[in-house]
Amino acid sequence: MPTVVKQQNKSEARTSDSPREAEGRGRTMSAIRNIGIIAHIDAGKTTTSERILYYSGKVHKIGEVHDGTATMDWMIQEQERGITITSAATTCFWNDHQINIIDTPGHVDFTVEVERSLRVLDGAVGVFCAVGGVQPQSETVWRQAKKYNVPCLAFVNKMDRMGADFDSVVKQLREKLAAPAVPVQIPWGASDDFTGVVDLITMRAMTFKEDSLGSEVEHTDIPAELAAKAEEARAILIERVAELDEELLEAYMENTDVSEKALMAAIRRTTIASQLVPVLCGSSLKNKGVQPLLDSVVAYLPSPIDIPAVTGIALKSEDEVVREASDFEPLSGLVFKMATDKYVGKLAFVRIYSGQLKKGQNIYNPRTRKRERVGRLLRLHANHREDVDVLYAGEIGGMAGQKLFTTGDTVCTENDAIVLENIEFPEPVISMAIEPKTTADKDHLVDALNDLSAEDPTFHISINEETGQTIIQGMGELHLEIIKDRILREYNVKANAGRPMVAYRESVLKTGTGNFTFDREIGGTSHFASLHLQVSPKPQGAGNTVVFDVSTSIIPQEYRTPIEEGINAALLTGVLGNYALIDTEVKVIGGETHSVDSTEIAFRSAAVMALREAVKNSSPTLLEPVMLLEIDTPEEHLGDVLGDLNSRRGRVREIKALRDVQVVQADVPLAEVFGYATKLRSLTKGRASYTMEPQAFDPVPASMQDSILNR
């Protein structure tokens, strides 16, 4: 068990009363909020972000997604499609607080942007459609937020739409997401009658003047028809919070009508502890309810000093190290995103957890074991940059021109090197061949692909050894379409692309063993290694592991790294169709060395061949990505939709009625859903819609394996 070491800044004399913050910083850490806007596609994340920027004075004109003028959707592909593709970071100020916002995509193909953003954020605002409620991607992003223990607020948006139902969404939050959701507001009206919100803390109603685009907020008495409902909702809110918070419980026992100050303080404590999810409502498009949302971000979501101190592994001692959020601790930060900017070159988005990152200082990358000088530091606003001299603890910014860093790397100093927990990314599920149109474009295409893969960890590039083709892999058809479009527009490279193909995987069904002895003379030098490996299946989604179940007297320590490298290389190619092996345990159970002839090259080669032999003896099988489809269809077309799903090897999970539509959830192999959008429109006269997200890798039916492998 590693020792936990509390690091001090040079001197052991520092106490808890030591200064936490440097004099030069603009805002104290308690006045900083690092938040993300997360949601299902088309729930209104970017529209909400645009209103936040407008009301906080960051922009002087409201940008609209449907007009292609949204500040946060700055990429041409985002403006054309009306969706968010890349997470955009910005900073604004509200009630003397600095709010660093990351607007994340909702489309499942770009889920990596949500994953890496939530890894470095302190809080999140989940936006939910008042009509659609909790949708599939809502569940995915909520799961990601819980994975990183990110406290959340919920904002029920689109209360002006026909069919809006606030109470239904709150119920879905509790049932589908298991979220401890409690309204701190109730809506005043719904759909065309949506007028404003009733604040259950102050027991006042709020309306938003249309002629000032909602900038002017009027506080009024609660309308008579809502008075009883508001009293009941406030009583429920106080009871729920009192159950979770001892301080409020004591105040409640003395007087059931607790003060606003005590209630807000208790909501803040329970929200930060992820015991409560305050629910607000409004209509971002109609400029209603956004200012109270900003007030709640400041009031309830944590600052960098409210969250647990970051932990990592000290590079030298391999002990676990705790770094407090302080400007005077040793530097630690995490690069959570890479981008290529035509003006500043390679741009690394970084969250500073402790210490100060200064322009001109030398920083260390524990992954590469190299140091690099910081050229420029930037504060970010979508695609605009502002130069700064220092990024302090708790802040998010950008480093321009860094060559050694990539997504997931730790930023630290060489004498106090630390490795923070990396970010895990999903595996690509779809592939496509790509080639330059002309010979002159060949090198430019390679450069473009390398830049894009450096930006996006879910975008992979490989070369097919048999055909020499360049294969690109991504999370979906839209993902690869955007990549292709960016190659043309941003890099001015013309390329031909094949049709998208499924990115299959391989695994094993039983335990098997394999031996290989490598005994060759290369360039006049003898190379010898003998290995005995065992391969076993692991549970779905468990990943690959390499275990040495053999003493160092049989396999010396010096050869274990090359053996592991050889095994990992062989796992990438498999044995059936050169597809990567997943969910497999490889155990080194024996081997033989030669006192003179054994070499690293020999053991690396022996590992590759022994693994292939072991996999062949372990009933290898082909796996295909299976997608979760959620289809909203009018009831009269339900039979046609189900019949079509059956023909696509779909397995229906659930069918439920939601107002005027039937919602079908089904697992369908990715190979069967190419072109599904066109087919669904045809079946339902354009009235149905669907969303899709990767679910798992399942075995391909035995009757189909040969035809896939012989393509």
Side-chain angles (χ1 to χ4, degrees):
M1 192 72 184
T3 308
V4 179
V5 181
K6 171 69 180 73
Q7 290 233 338
Q8 302 290 357
N9 184 37
K10 305 292 183 188
S11 170
E12 290 297 327
R14 276 190 63 201
T15 68
S16 58
D17 298 324
S18 301
R20 184 190 283 273
E21 300 175 4
E23 293 180 5
R25 63 185 304 143
R27 291 286 189 288
T28 63
M29 263 187 282
S30 61
I32 291 177
R33 302 288 182 271
N34 294 312
I35 68 164
I37 311 289
I38 61 173
H40 183 87
I41 189 169
D42 204 31
K45 297 176 305 302
T46 301
T47 303
T48 303
S49 299
E50 292 299 317
R51 270 44 178 193
I52 288 173
L53 296 180
Y54 179 70
Y55 297 133
S56 64
K58 185 71 180 181
V59 297
H60 303 291
K61 181 185 177 185
I62 294 178
E64 299 290 9
V65 174
H66 53 267
D67 292 335
T69 58
T71 306
M72 303 296 271
D73 283 352
W74 55 270
M75 289 173 65
I76 187 70
Q77 292 86 357
E78 294 175 314
Q79 293 165 2
E80 288 177 349
R81 290 167 172 81
I83 62 170
T84 302
I85 292 169
T86 182
S87 52
T90 190
T91 299
C92 64
F93 299 90
W94 184 256
N95 289 351
D96 206 32
H97 283 67
Q98 176 180 326
I99 304 177
N100 301 317
I101 303 170
I102 297 182
D103 175 34
T104 64
H107 197 288
V108 67
D109 283 17
F110 310 105
T111 189
V112 61
E113 296 287 342
V114 185
E115 183 84 19
R116 59 184 173 189
S117 299
L118 286 170
R119 169 66 177 82
V120 298
L121 291 171
D122 303 329
V125 176
V127 180
F128 299 88
C129 174
V131 181
V134 175
Q135 297 163 287
Q137 191 64 9
S138 310
E139 297 182 53
T140 302
V141 297
W142 199 263
R143 204 162 49 239
Q144 288 169 313
K146 294 302 103 184
K147 174 181 174 181
Y148 295 114
N149 297 315
V150 177
C152 296
L153 301 178
F155 181 64
V156 180
N157 190 27
K158 302 190 178 185
M159 284 301 305
D160 60 304
R161 279 188 57 189
M162 185 68 69
D165 189 338
F166 177 75
D167 293 336
S168 173
V169 178
V170 174
K171 184 180 179 184
Q172 289 179 50
L173 287 169
R174 293 171 183 159
E175 293 177 354
K176 286 190 173 183
L177 304 181
V182 181
V184 294
Q185 293 176 351
I186 59 172
W188 181 354
S191 53
D192 291 340
D193 297 325
F194 181 61
T195 305
V197 299
V198 175
D199 188 338
L200 301 178
I201 311 293
T202 62
M203 290 302 281
R204 299 279 285 170
M206 284 180 272
T207 58
F208 306 85
K209 285 194 171 181
E210 293 184 15
D211 54 3
S212 66
L213 295 177
S215 293
E216 294 180 49
V217 183
E218 287 189 332
H219 296 260
T220 63
D221 291 334
I222 298 172
E225 68 270 19
L226 283 175
K229 184 176 182 181
E231 288 288 351
E232 182 187 356
R234 189 176 201 269
I236 292 171
L237 170 64
I238 293 171
E239 287 176 12
R240 290 277 176 85
V241 180
E243 288 172 3
L244 301 167
D245 187 85
E246 287 187 13
E247 286 186 44
L248 189 72
L249 181 60
E250 289 177 13
Y252 180 67
M253 297 298 284
E254 291 177 13
N255 183 358
T256 55
D257 188 20
V258 298
S259 69
E260 294 175 22
K261 185 177 179 181
L263 181 55
M264 289 182 70
I267 292 173
R268 176 174 178 78
R269 288 191 293 270
T270 51
T271 302
I272 290 173
S274 294
Q275 296 173 319
L276 191 80
V277 176
V279 185
L280 301 96
C281 58
S283 169
S284 297
L285 186 63
K286 295 298 173 67
N287 309 312
K288 295 176 182 178
V290 177
Q291 293 96 321
L293 175 62
L294 274 167
D295 291 336
S296 296
V297 165
V298 168
Y300 306 133
L301 289 182
S303 71
I305 58 175
D306 293 319
I307 61 172
V310 70
T311 59
I313 303 297
L315 194 63
K316 293 178 181 176
S317 65
E318 295 190 357
D319 290 332
E320 187 175 281
V321 177
V322 178
R323 293 272 171 93
E324 300 287 347
S326 166
D327 294 335
F328 300 103
E329 287 269 314
L331 172 67
S332 66
L334 187 75
V335 174
F336 65 94
K337 176 179 167 70
M338 299 298 300
T340 303
D341 187 288
K342 60 183 176 182
Y343 299 113
V344 300
K346 199 174 179 183
L347 182 63
F349 290 60
V350 61
R351 160 73 192 262
I352 307 300
Y353 286 101
S354 65
Q356 303 173 46
L357 179 62
K358 298 180 179 178
K359 180 180 174 181
Q361 84 174 94
N362 284 322
I363 54 174
Y364 187 69
N365 186 336
R367 178 181 60 84
T368 61
R369 307 287 177 111
K370 292 181 180 178
R371 74 172 77 91
E372 190 172 8
R373 188 173 179 272
V374 178
R376 288 177 68 188
L377 289 177
L378 305 161
R379 185 163 285 133
L380 308 164
H381 176 48
N383 61 332
H384 302 293
R385 325 285 184 215
E386 174 194 341
D387 280 271
V388 294
D389 292 326
V390 187
L391 289 174
Y392 295 96
E395 292 193 323
I396 291 174
M399 301 187 296
Q402 306 309 129
K403 296 177 181 176
L404 302 177
F405 287 85
T406 188
T407 301
D409 282 348
T410 300
V411 177
C412 58
T413 54
E414 191 169 2
N415 60 336
D416 268 310
I418 183 175
V419 182
L420 301 180
E421 181 188 358
N422 208 326
I423 310 172
E424 295 179 2
F425 299 110
E427 285 291 313
V429 297
I430 193 167
S431 64
M432 185 168 71
I434 191 167
E435 61 184 20
K437 279 194 174 180
T438 66
T439 307
D441 283 324
K442 185 177 180 181
D443 291 340
H444 298 301
L445 178 62
V446 170
D447 292 341
L449 292 175
N450 287 336
D451 280 353
L452 292 169
S453 66
E455 284 184 26
D456 184 351
T458 61
F459 173 59
H460 294 185
I461 312 162
S462 61
I463 305 294
N464 186 310
E465 293 181 2
E466 294 179 7
T467 64
Q469 282 183 307
T470 300
I471 306 296
I472 58 176
Q473 293 183 306
M475 297 304 297
E477 289 181 89
L478 180 61
H479 189 192
L480 295 186
E481 184 186 323
I482 296 295
I483 292 286
K484 206 167 64 172
D485 196 49
R486 290 186 64 188
I487 289 170
L488 176 62
R489 297 203 199 187
E490 292 178 30
Y491 295 90
N492 201 27
V493 176
K494 294 179 180 177
N496 294 319
R499 64 181 183 87
M501 299 176 294
V502 176
Y504 292 96
R505 295 289 185 271
E506 297 179 22
S507 193
V508 296
L509 298 177
K510 67 176 187 179
T511 298
T513 60
N515 297 285
F516 191 82
T517 299
F518 186 92
D519 188 4
R520 294 181 191 172
E521 187 174 300
I522 304 172
T525 304
S526 295
H527 297 267
F528 177 86
S530 183
L531 270 185
H532 188 192
L533 304 182
Q534 176 183 290
V535 170
S536 305
K538 292 181 67 180
Q540 191 178 73
N544 296 330
T545 53
V546 179
V547 179
F548 285 87
D549 189 15
V550 63
S551 71
T552 52
S553 62
I554 296 175
I555 303 291
Q557 193 66 42
E558 65 197 90
Y559 298 125
R560 297 195 173 203
T561 297
I563 289 170
E564 196 166 342
E565 289 172 354
I567 290 170
N568 286 327
L571 286 169
L572 291 175
T573 55
V575 298
L576 294 175
N578 290 324
Y579 301 114
L581 277 153
I582 61 171
D583 302 334
T584 303
E585 181 184 76
V586 183
K587 192 178 286 186
V588 181
I589 56 175
E592 188 182 344
T593 60
H594 188 280
S595 57
V596 177
D597 294 345
S598 284
T599 62
E600 292 186 1
I601 293 173
F603 272 103
R604 191 179 290 112
S605 302
V608 171
M609 301 310 294
L611 180 74
R612 294 182 68 83
E613 187 65 28
V615 170
K616 288 176 183 176
N617 296 330
S618 305
S619 297
T621 186
L622 195 64
L623 305 178
E624 62 181 347
V626 174
M627 316 300 284
L628 172 62
L629 265 66
E630 180 163 298
I631 305 148
D632 295 353
T633 178
E635 188 168 5
E636 60 263 36
H637 299 296
L638 180 61
D640 293 332
V641 169
L642 293 176
D644 182 64
L645 285 174
N646 188 51
S647 71
R648 295 173 185 269
R649 296 192 283 132
R651 298 189 302 273
V652 175
R653 287 187 178 191
E654 183 183 18
I655 303 172
K656 58 187 175 184
L658 184 64
R659 286 180 285 278
D660 56 342
V661 298
Q662 295 288 319
V663 181
V664 181
Q665 284 194 345
D667 293 323
V668 186
L670 176 62
E672 305 291 348
V673 293
F674 290 133
Y676 185 63
T678 305
K679 180 66 173 178
L680 186 64
R681 280 197 295 270
S682 171
L683 285 172
T684 63
K685 299 181 173 64
R687 296 175 62 196
S689 62
Y690 79 100
T691 56
M692 179 172 72
E693 63 175 300
Q695 198 61 22
F697 280 92
D698 284 351
V700 173
S703 59
M704 298 179 62
Q705 284 205 26
D706 287 344
S707 62
I708 292 170
L709 294 170
N710 293 328
R711 284 177 187 170

